[in-house]
Amino acid sequence: MSAQTLEIPRRTGSRDTTAPGGTAPGTTAPGTTTPGTTARAPGVGAHRRRRRGHLLGLPAVLAVQVAMSIRLSATAFQDEALYLDAGRQILDSWRHGTPVSEDFGSYFSGSPYVYPPLGALAEAAGGLGGARLLSLVCCVLTTVLLASVSRSLFGPGAAVPGAAAFVLSGPVLFVGHFATYDAMALMLLVGGLALGLRAGRSSSGSRAAVLALTAGFLAAGAVVTKYVSALFVPSAVLVVLLWGCREAGSPPAAGGQARRRRLVLAAGSVAGAGLAVGSWLALTGTDQLEGLVTTTLSRRVVGPTSSVEVACRGLAWAAPTLLVALLGVVLVGRRRPALTVLLVGSAVLPIAFQARSGELTSLHKHVAFGLVFAAPLAGAGITAALDRWELRDPGRPLTPRLLALPLVAVLLLAAGMRSSQQLDDAWADSRPLTDLLRTQVRFGSGHYLVEESEVPRYYMENLTAPWQWSGTYFLYYRQPGRKLAYTGTAAFRHALSDQYFDIVVLRFGPTADLDWKVHDILGDQRKYRQIARLPEPGGWTIWRRVDR
Amino acid sequence: MEFPEAQPPRPEPPASGKRVRRPLAGPLLAVAFVAALGWLRPGPWASGVAALLTLAMMAGSGRRRDQVWIATTTVGVLVSTVDYLVWRVTVANWSAAWLAVPLLAAEAFGALHALGLQATIWPRTPPPLRRIDDPARFPIYVLIPTAGESMAVLGPTVTGALAARTEFLRRHPGARVHVIVCNDGRVAGNPTWKDVENSVRDLGVSCITRTVGGGAKAGNIESVRARVGATGDALVAVFDADMVPTADFLLATVQPFADPSVGWVQTAQYYRNTELPAARWAADQQALFYDVLCPGKAARNASFICGTNVVIRAAALDSIGGLPQNSVTEDFAASIRLAPDWRGVYLPGRFAEGLGPVDAASYLKQQNRWARGTFEVLKTRGKDLLDPRSGLTGAQRLQYGLACTHYLSGLRDLVYLLTPIIFVTSGIPAIRGADTTGFLTHFGPFFLFGQTAFWSAAKGRSTWRGIVAGFISFPALVAATLTVALGAHSSFTVTAKQRGGSVSWRPIVPHLAALLLCGYGLTVAVLGGLSARDLIACVWIGYMAAMLAVFCGLTISDMVRRADTGSARAGGRQPGGGFPVALRLAAAGLCVVAFALAIQVRPRTSAPVRLSPTPCATGMRTGLAVTAGAAVGYARLATRLRMTGISARTVEIGAGFPTSWADQVRATGGIPWLTLVFTRDGASSLDAALPAIVNAVQDDSLRRWARQIAAWGHPLYLTALPSVDRNYAASSAVANGGVPADSARAWRHIRRVFAAAHADNIAWTWQPAAPAGDTLYRPPAGQIDVVAVTWIQYPGTRWVSPVRELARVRSAYPSKPLLVTLAAAGTRARTSAWIGAAVRAARSQRVLGLVYQTDGPDPHASRAAFAAWRAGAYLTAAVLRTRENRANLSDGAAAGADAAGAPGRDGCGAWS
């Protein structure tokens, strides 16, 4: 008798005799095979399941992103407090005509009239958590848009893996729960990129024009929201152009039609960008261009750091996504060399840019912008790897090797989570300080000099007025009864000598030079008395004015 | 009937490819991942995230939903288990290792078996069976061992076997199928063995009765096998006496023997007497094994021979010298010995039906027997699972290892039962250094993933009854563990197939004891006040108590029904009938807990008595005040001095409302007067500053005070911010960052907090150091109920004139009732005169009360200084007792007693 597969008619009782974990009725049971099932299992319905799966996969990635981001729960950072407070004041000025206390546009690194009011609205609805939720929404939308970008560039299979790779890194998780410009700018930038790619793919010329117009508007909006976004706009444009060339090379869109398409895209996006920038300048004036110049174009480096250290820090923050993107470089790079080079270059662009200038400030946030370009490549790499190892073939058995991928992802995410936690912990918990100041301040009377005063001012908005607070970066002081006015160190010394401030809080941090220069006045027992010294990491020292 | 000649043993078939060695890369990689997870300790979030990422990855791959699901849950179980166990090691209470280590071991055991379940049910397609031989030409022996079962049980089995033979012969006319009853009734001492023999023969079936015993069921089968020559290429089908095969049993089970590597074909056991509760529960538990685990084990060639409903190739049995006769689970022992060389096939589906345990006793006995057998196999064959030369594959080692250790779950459940009870009764925790949130964040994912994975595997196959049936086996399993561990003799016992008439509580005594323990633990925990940790322990105890209660209820109701069936009143309604005993027990448990909770709840007081102090019309209250220390001695002194109309005391914000003191004051007809200061342990802090009070820093404490005072519900005077106009006060409007304007703000804020708590029984007593000159500090008049004047007269200083001073205060507060606090330390004559003047002044201004500050202003003064201040109290009492004052005093005391006893009456210091 020749060896052949044995077929046994299976019999089912009242119970479901499905073999658990994969042997559904009618399929292969252990030790047996059932006629007809072998041919049916892999092919039928797989495509439909895959499509449904894509719909399920992206929410799962977004759930991970949300879960990981909302774990970060530090007290308000200086930037957050500053922008939200500015937003409140701007909203009040729009609603009630009250003047804002400062010219925010002169030193903000983005337009004070775009994100800050929106952040303040969210903050009014839900406190700091509400403002951070707005950032989280922006970041989640960024991930969704990034899935679209990955799909456009590398096919449907790269969408979910690309989105997953994006959320692995610490800076992305951090920005997702950080109430500043970054998340919104990121969303607008990726939105512009995604729409640009869709415009190139659109079959209708008018639709392509509208999409290009919107893409240009969003990209310019990103720049207006946060000026440093301008660094990434050329990369986004190049990606669209490269992809456009590739599409144009395909038969349906060849020759003059392709040229016309490019012309439409270019004109549309330029018009959109012009619209955004024009609206911005028309609505808010040109004064804030000063901020653009001082914070971005001719920025003076604060606390220069060695290039190597900056590069190392940046690469460490970006590592989880970049490592996966390397897989894409290896597996996809040869097929798409130009695009691969462009994406990798754009991913490390902020690191290289800041390493060159030795600027560490905000690098972690800018790394998140770079990762927008690494993620699609990472997605393509994962897809290629899965295909190469035949792990995505539904016709093949479910091997335990599959589990290696999520486990590796968890390890990478753990690394990203750790770095996001470190970023979150970099700012000392301000609760001890605000708790202490709460015992000292009173509304409408008293002046308080606090190093990084934005945070207590933000938290004690209901207990004090903004004008009661002064920071250690700048002070304009006019002595009472005299016409002499001072700025700089002299202003601080005179103000302290005159016991102008009721409470003084220093931590010898970013303005340690100034702190040491006025320290002798605070040591004068006739003028100020130290009432507390809070432990590290805050390390604040608090003096109270001695009653005359 | 004649049996064919015994045939020579068939040469062993070549191994069917199952022994191909797999590379170690996979397991090593898995170990590396687990180690990396354990080392990195990403946190409890990792399990959820890993599961979500797996879902994201698998969902887009086009795989079926069940594959996506099992991959997702497996990752979740793996990561959450590693996280939980690593965390548990770090928080084990090593100082109470006797408690912590068993719990840790029990949890690790449970976790490993949860992972084992995932490894078992992970989809795996076994190699297809080959068609090489024609199994229909093999002689088939259908053996039905019996050891005393009646024909009522045995008859249907024999009939079913004949039907299966008929059906097989109809399809394969040339086949040779012999049905034989292997009667051990004689050696078992059953008097009806002959009747069984005769009855079986009447059915046309051979019956072989042993005359020499030994080897229990395995010995019986082996004896018959040797007798009839069922060796070599013969196939041996075995059925327990109650297992009735279906007509197509042989058709289905013989066919796989076409593959010469197949050593046995096992089918599931189902019970047909599931109308009996015990059988139904046992069936649900069995289903977990047969419907969930067996297919997975078979896919890894690690299936079992389960002793019945099985067809075994005789050559396979020959190769191991027959069924092992030194084990009460000879089938399982044989499986491990056969596994290296033969392939076991498991056929899902209902191919035979038998009788499940008829009652709790027989169920527990069955569990005990299986556990004993498994442990004996572990003891005798355990080394094969580790020996690299045993020929077992890695998957077989894992699966048989899991099976061999499964019944240690009895010890695990016992530890799970006892640990929380020990914790709530003794306070000794098995976990230390972890808060409730930490516990829940690590345990939550571990528990949820474990449960999700389990129930998704068991869905449609088993129910909660299977879980309960598994848990309540723990006494039987623990007994089995001890029996084997201590090397005690164990014998094969047949599970009862028919119900006897006797009703015994004995099988559930351990469960009732455990239930009582749970009740005791819950009661102790509830009476002791539930902390979050206690609550977790109570939930766990409650969970186990519920399972025990359900089982005891089931058993008791079963016993009642049996007793009732046996009685003449059959069909009559039971007392309290209509509700299952399980429900009745659960209700009784709830009543106990509710009672315990009820006696814990402090009876709510009625709404606070609203007060409105009015100027004294007929007299004034007098009393003593104490600043620091216990008030007990002063209470006695006040009684002796008959100064109990009012009693004053200073309390710190961090303390609680002195309810017993206030009750005592009230019982003596007095009214408490509390002065609330914002110091902590006598020390001032920044939190005591007026801006701090205004900015709500003290609100939590204030709210607590307000709630407690409102709950007390009786009238009292309350002073906040005493001497706010002086720099020595903790809450000062002239020091510590305070400014005069802060005083009124802070006062308003405090009153607002108390008003929000409806503490309306307070007379707000404003007590600056200089009430006549407090314009800068004073709250609005409407915010003050009473004004207190304080006169502390130090020796060697100029003392105030009470008449003039009180007149100034009266002019500053013309409409406010006044209270006077006084103290003086000087010569007897001077002090007496001054106190006399003070009393006269107070009376002339119709003050509400006069309080002598017994311990002086300095709590740290010397004993001599204390004595000097205290002497003033006696002098005050003496002055008050003069003839001139006595009448008024008695009026005042009476008014006070009336006020205390019946609030709302008019008079000195009355409340409305």
Side-chain angles (χ1 to χ4, degrees):
Chain A
M1 186 183 283
S2 63
Q4 55 185 267
T5 302
L6 184 66
E7 294 172 354
I8 302 170
R10 288 185 60 215
R11 180 166 176 275
T12 54
S14 57
R15 286 172 188 271
D16 174 16
T17 56
T18 305
T23 46
T27 59
T28 306
T32 64
T33 53
T34 307
T37 56
T38 318
R40 187 172 172 268
V44 179
H47 180 66
R48 196 185 312 151
R49 281 198 296 269
R50 190 173 281 167
R51 283 189 62 184
R52 274 206 308 260
H54 282 305
L55 296 176
L56 189 63
L58 191 55
V61 171
L62 300 180
V64 170
Q65 184 182 17
V66 169
M68 293 298 95
S69 285
I70 58 173
R71 286 182 78 244
L72 306 171
S73 57
T75 50
F77 283 63
Q78 185 183 18
D79 288 356
E80 292 180 301
L82 176 64
Y83 297 150
L84 293 178
D85 191 54
R88 284 176 193 160
Q89 292 191 39
I90 291 168
L91 280 179
D92 283 346
S93 75
W94 287 347
R95 277 188 283 207
H96 312 298
T98 51
V100 294
S101 64
E102 295 175 64
D103 178 14
F104 298 116
S106 63
Y107 66 97
F108 274 20
S109 57
S111 171
Y113 299 100
V114 179
Y115 171 77
L118 287 175
L121 279 176
E123 196 262 353
L128 179 64
R132 286 178 172 170
L133 188 63
L134 174 66
S135 293
L136 186 57
V137 170
C138 289
C139 254
V140 165
L141 287 174
T142 303
T143 308
V144 174
L145 291 165
L146 206 49
S148 165
V149 170
S150 302
R151 185 185 295 117
S152 296
L153 293 177
F154 295 106
V160 175
F166 180 62
V167 304
L168 291 178
S169 286
V172 174
L173 301 175
F174 178 77
V175 166
H177 212 221
F178 192 58
T180 60
Y181 308 123
D182 301 275
M184 186 173 167
L186 204 56
M187 179 188 71
L188 293 174
L189 181 71
V190 181
L193 177 59
L195 287 186
L197 292 170
R198 293 201 76 153
R201 204 171 53 189
S202 174
S203 54
S204 153
S206 58
R207 188 158 181 267
V210 170
L211 286 172
L213 184 80
T214 314
F217 186 86
L218 291 179
V223 176
V224 169
T225 303
K226 183 170 170 108
Y227 305 140
V228 82
S229 307
L231 188 66
F232 303 95
V233 170
S235 297
V237 171
L238 280 174
V239 168
V240 174
L241 285 177
L242 265 180
W243 188 83
C245 288
R246 181 183 158 87
E247 289 293 300
S250 59
Q257 192 184 351
R259 278 195 295 279
R260 276 198 301 279
R261 169 65 55 83
R262 283 188 207 136
L263 198 63
V264 165
L265 291 180
S269 53
V270 168
L275 186 65
V277 175
S279 308
W280 166 50
L281 292 176
L283 288 171
T284 61
T286 55
D287 291 350
Q288 54 196 306
L289 290 178
E290 183 190 344
L292 172 61
V293 173
T294 56
T295 62
T296 309
L297 296 180
S298 59
R299 181 184 176 86
R300 190 164 59 87
V301 175
V302 179
T305 314
S306 80
S307 300
V308 175
E309 188 181 342
V310 172
C312 287
R313 291 265 195 106
L315 288 173
W317 283 325
T321 306
L322 284 185
L323 280 174
V324 187
L326 277 180
L327 201 64
V329 172
V330 172
L331 298 176
V332 184
R334 268 186 296 178
R335 277 186 285 136
R336 313 276 292 272
L339 184 61
T340 304
V341 168
L342 176 60
L343 291 176
V344 172
S346 303
V348 297
L349 182 62
I351 302 172
F353 190 75
Q354 293 200 217
R356 187 175 145 272
S357 64
E359 169 81 277
L360 203 52
T361 307
S362 297
L363 174 62
H364 56 288
K365 295 183 274 184
H366 300 160
V367 162
F369 282 77
L371 293 179
V372 162
F373 298 93
L377 196 56
I382 293 172
T383 311
L386 286 170
D387 286 341
R388 176 164 292 200
W389 298 324
E390 297 178 325
L391 296 176
R392 263 162 46 91
D393 180 1
R396 295 185 66 82
L398 189 66
T399 70
R401 270 187 304 172
L402 265 174
L403 302 187
L405 277 167
L407 290 176
V408 168
V410 162
L411 294 181
L412 289 173
L413 187 62
M417 192 60 219
R418 185 171 286 190
S419 59
S420 71
Q421 193 66 55
Q422 283 166 351
L423 290 168
D424 202 51
D425 294 341
W427 181 258
D429 184 356
S430 63
R431 266 173 294 215
L433 176 64
T434 48
D435 286 350
L436 190 141
L437 289 177
R438 210 182 291 276
T439 69
Q440 302 296 316
V441 301
R442 67 175 58 81
F443 193 90
S445 78
H447 297 91
Y448 314 115
L449 175 67
V450 182
E451 191 167 342
E452 293 156 340
S453 61
E454 294 83 359
V455 176
R457 181 171 73 177
Y458 167 75
Y459 276 114
M460 282 181 274
E461 178 214 16
N462 297 325
L463 302 179
T464 57
W467 57 263
Q468 292 180 266
W469 297 92
S470 298
T472 48
Y473 286 110
F474 176 80
L475 179 69
Y476 175 86
Y477 178 67
R478 184 185 290 275
Q479 280 187 307
R482 298 188 192 179
K483 291 194 174 176
L484 291 172
Y486 303 93
T487 57
T489 306
F492 288 102
R493 287 193 64 83
H494 278 94
L496 289 170
S497 297
D498 295 344
Q499 292 182 286
Y500 174 75
F501 295 110
D502 296 79
I503 296 291
V504 179
V505 181
L506 302 178
R507 73 178 189 95
F508 301 90
T511 58
D513 285 350
L514 173 79
D515 298 352
W516 287 116
K517 285 174 185 169
V518 300
H519 189 248
D520 59 314
I521 306 173
L522 295 168
D524 184 346
Q525 296 291 318
R526 293 165 305 170
K527 296 185 185 299
Y528 286 94
R529 189 167 71 83
Q530 180 180 322
I531 56 170
R533 177 170 168 73
L534 298 174
E536 296 294 341
W540 294 281
T541 307
I542 300 101
W543 289 267
R544 184 167 62 205
R545 187 179 66 188
V546 173
D547 294 325
R548 281 167 282 197
Chain B
M1 180 174 187
E2 289 189 357
F3 295 104
E5 293 294 318
Q7 294 178 1
R10 173 194 168 101
E12 286 189 13
S16 59
K18 58 187 173 296
R19 292 177 64 181
V20 173
R21 291 192 181 279
R22 290 180 172 278
L24 286 173
L28 284 180
L29 207 58
V31 170
F33 275 127
V34 169
L37 276 175
W39 179 63
L40 274 175
R41 296 182 61 191
W45 57 267
S47 52
V49 165
L52 278 173
L53 287 175
T54 311
L55 183 66
M57 184 186 78
M58 295 287 296
S61 67
R63 290 187 180 275
R64 290 195 315 269
R65 186 181 295 177
D66 58 337
Q67 293 188 337
V68 174
W69 185 243
I70 194 165
T72 304
T73 52
T74 301
V75 167
V77 169
L78 175 65
V79 179
S80 64
T81 300
V82 173
D83 170 71
Y84 180 68
L85 289 183
V86 171
W87 176 80
R88 276 290 283 110
V89 170
T90 61
V91 297
N93 182 12
W94 298 112
S95 60
W98 60 271
L99 185 66
V101 171
L103 181 61
L104 191 58
E107 289 186 280
F109 173 82
L112 287 176
H113 273 260
L115 288 173
L117 173 68
Q118 294 304 115
T120 305
I121 62 176
W122 182 272
R124 182 167 178 177
T125 309
L129 295 169
R130 298 167 297 166
R131 185 195 290 272
I132 292 174
D133 296 333
D134 177 10
R137 68 179 178 83
F138 299 152
I140 299 169
Y141 295 90
V142 180
L143 305 185
I144 306 171
T146 175
E149 285 87 354
S150 68
M151 277 310 289
V153 174
L154 190 60
T157 306
V158 173
T159 310
L162 290 172
R165 182 177 68 173
T166 305
E167 187 67 16
F168 191 77
L169 292 175
R170 192 174 64 78
R171 190 78 65 87
H172 305 284
R176 292 163 290 164
V177 181
H178 313 286
V179 178
I180 305 166
V181 172
C182 315
N183 189 3
D184 246 6
R186 182 173 176 181
V187 295
N190 190 305
T192 61
W193 67 270
K194 192 69 186 168
D195 298 339
V196 168
E197 196 174 73
N198 293 334
S199 301
V200 165
R201 285 192 175 138
D202 288 347
L203 290 170
V205 169
S206 302
C207 179
I208 297 177
T209 304
R210 276 208 296 175
T211 53
V212 180
K217 180 178 164 187
N220 189 4
I221 292 172
E222 283 304 312
S223 164
V224 172
R225 220 162 59 84
R227 182 101 171 258
V228 302
T231 56
D233 63 356
L235 302 177
V236 178
V238 179
F239 294 100
D240 280 351
D242 59 307
M243 282 292 167
V244 181
T246 56
D248 60 348
F249 177 86
L250 290 175
L251 285 174
T253 53
V254 168
Q255 212 167 349
F257 288 96
D259 186 333
S261 67
V262 170
W264 70 92
V265 175
Q266 177 68 54
T267 67
Q269 292 183 29
Y270 293 108
Y271 296 144
R272 62 177 184 274
N273 59 339
T274 50
E275 76 283 357
L276 296 178
R280 186 177 177 198
W281 289 39
D284 270 15
Q285 197 206 13
Q286 291 267 73
L288 290 174
F289 177 70
Y290 284 110
D291 291 348
V292 177
L293 296 176
C294 280
K297 287 179 184 292
R300 289 157 180 80
N301 195 23
S303 69
F304 299 161
I305 298 172
C306 298
T308 182
N309 312 347
V310 64
V311 182
I312 312 171
R313 192 188 293 273
L317 287 177
D318 296 343
S319 69
I320 58 167
L323 281 171
Q325 298 181 31
N326 57 352
S327 168
V328 292
T329 51
E330 73 294 336
D331 35 21
F332 180 48
S335 307
I336 294 182
R337 294 182 62 185
L338 288 171
D341 299 315
W342 297 90
R343 179 172 173 181
V345 172
Y346 176 77
L347 284 188
R350 191 179 288 257
F351 291 102
E353 284 184 337
L355 297 174
V358 292
D359 54 21
S362 54
Y363 170 73
L364 293 172
K365 192 187 287 182
Q366 182 192 56
Q367 293 292 308
N368 177 275
R369 179 165 61 83
W370 288 351
R372 273 188 289 125
T374 309
F375 290 141
E376 279 165 4
V377 171
L378 178 65
K379 208 170 168 182
T380 55
R381 311 298 308 179
K383 59 181 185 299
D384 290 349
L385 302 180
L386 301 174
D387 186 355
R389 293 165 301 175
S390 65
L392 292 168
T393 64
Q396 286 173 329
R397 291 172 202 274
L398 174 68
Q399 293 300 330
Y400 289 132
L402 288 170
C404 281
T405 55
H406 169 75
Y407 287 110
L408 286 173
S409 59
L411 281 178
R412 178 200 63 193
D413 292 341
L414 183 66
V415 172
Y416 282 171
L417 176 75
L418 292 181
T419 308
I421 296 175
I422 291 172
F423 169 66
V424 296
T425 53
S426 70
I428 302 172
I431 295 174
R432 175 162 287 173
D435 57 9
T436 309
T437 311
F439 174 77
L440 290 176
T441 49
H442 289 277
F443 179 75
F446 169 69
F447 180 77
L448 286 178
F449 273 113
Q451 292 296 309
T452 306
F454 176 81
W455 284 112
S456 60
K459 187 181 173 190
R461 301 177 173 107
S462 184
T463 66
W464 58 273
R465 292 185 195 89
I467 300 296
V468 177
F471 172 72
I472 53 85
S473 306
F474 76 89
L477 305 188
V478 171
T481 311
L482 293 176
T483 303
V484 177
L486 299 175
H489 173 72
S490 62
S491 59
F492 188 95
T493 49
V494 178
T495 307
K497 306 293 189 300
Q498 287 175 304
R499 296 167 73 111
S502 63
V503 175
S504 171
W505 288 79
R506 200 169 160 190
I508 62 163
V509 166
H511 303 90
L512 288 172
L515 192 57
L516 276 176
L517 267 180
C518 289
Y520 174 67
L522 285 173
T523 308
V524 167
V526 172
L527 289 179
L530 285 176
S531 67
R533 281 153 49 122
D534 291 333
L535 195 64
I536 290 174
C538 284
V539 168
W540 194 247
I541 296 172
Y543 172 59
M544 286 179 296
M547 287 197 283
L548 289 166
V550 167
F551 174 68
C552 291
L554 171 88
T555 309
I556 293 168
S557 67
D558 192 35
M559 287 192 304
V560 169
R561 196 162 48 230
R562 284 167 64 183
D564 184 56
T565 306
S567 73
R569 295 186 294 108
R573 187 179 172 80
Q574 293 297 308
F579 294 101
V581 173
L583 271 183
R584 279 180 250 160
L585 279 176
L590 275 177
C591 287
V592 170
V593 173
F595 172 74
L597 281 172
I599 59 177
Q600 272 302 97
V601 175
R602 187 182 165 81
R604 288 186 66 84
T605 54
S606 54
V609 178
R610 190 175 294 274
L611 65 91
S612 172
T614 55
C616 188
T618 54
M620 69 179 177
R621 291 170 170 274
T622 60
L624 298 181
V626 54
T627 306
V632 180
Y634 297 99
R636 267 191 244 116
L637 181 62
T639 309
R640 204 160 73 228
L641 300 179
R642 297 174 58 194
M643 295 174 68
T644 55
I646 192 165
S647 188
R649 183 174 173 183
T650 300
V651 287
E652 292 192 317
I653 185 77
F657 177 69
T659 308
S660 58
W661 170 81
D663 285 338
Q664 192 182 352
V665 171
R666 192 164 170 269
T668 55
I671 298 174
W673 177 8
L674 280 176
T675 298
L676 187 61
V677 293
F678 291 89
T679 55
R680 305 260 172 181
D681 298 324
S684 181
S685 70
L686 296 173
D687 289 353
L690 292 178
I693 296 168
V694 174
N695 293 336
V697 171
Q698 297 281 6
D699 276 13
D700 286 344
S701 301
L702 287 171
R703 270 192 287 270
R704 176 170 52 79
W705 268 94
R707 281 196 301 270
Q708 290 173 350
I709 289 178
W712 186 63
H714 304 291
L716 84 166
Y717 298 104
L718 181 67
T719 295
L721 311 178
S723 304
V724 70
D725 50 343
R726 291 294 183 265
N727 63 1
Y728 56 75
S731 306
S732 170
V734 292
N736 301 334
V739 297
D742 290 339
S743 169
R745 286 186 201 149
W747 182 269
R748 255 199 315 270
H749 184 82
I750 294 169
R751 286 213 56 171
R752 209 164 27 230
V753 172
F754 275 76
H758 305 290
D760 301 326
N761 49 330
I762 295 171
W764 287 92
T765 308
W766 170 245
Q767 190 176 19
D774 66 347
T775 318
L776 289 175
Y777 312 97
R778 183 187 298 176
Q783 297 262 309
I784 299 172
D785 298 323
V786 180
V787 175
V789 183
T790 312
W791 295 323
I792 308 293
Q793 308 304 324
Y794 294 85
T797 61
R798 187 177 175 183
W799 291 8
V800 299
S801 162
V803 176
R804 276 207 299 273
E805 188 65 19
L806 211 51
R808 288 178 60 205
V809 174
R810 172 57 70 202
S811 70
Y813 292 96
S815 61
K816 295 294 177 188
L818 302 179
L819 280 170
V820 172
T821 300
L822 73 163
T827 63
R828 182 181 173 83
R830 187 188 185 196
T831 304
S832 181
W834 182 82
I835 289 175
V839 170
R840 279 194 300 280
R843 181 151 302 122
S844 70
Q845 291 294 343
R846 298 171 64 201
V847 302
L848 280 176
L850 183 139
V851 177
Y852 186 84
Q853 181 74 39
T854 321
D855 56 353
D858 181 9
H860 306 295
S862 65
R863 293 185 66 176
F866 264 126
W869 290 109
R870 190 169 177 149
Y874 292 94
L875 292 174
T876 308
V879 168
L880 291 169
R881 279 199 212 104
T882 60
R883 183 177 299 175
E884 181 187 357
N885 297 320
R886 195 170 296 138
N888 288 335
L889 181 64
S890 60
D891 288 348
D898 289 346
R905 284 189 60 167
D906 192 18
C908 177
W911 311 85
S912 59

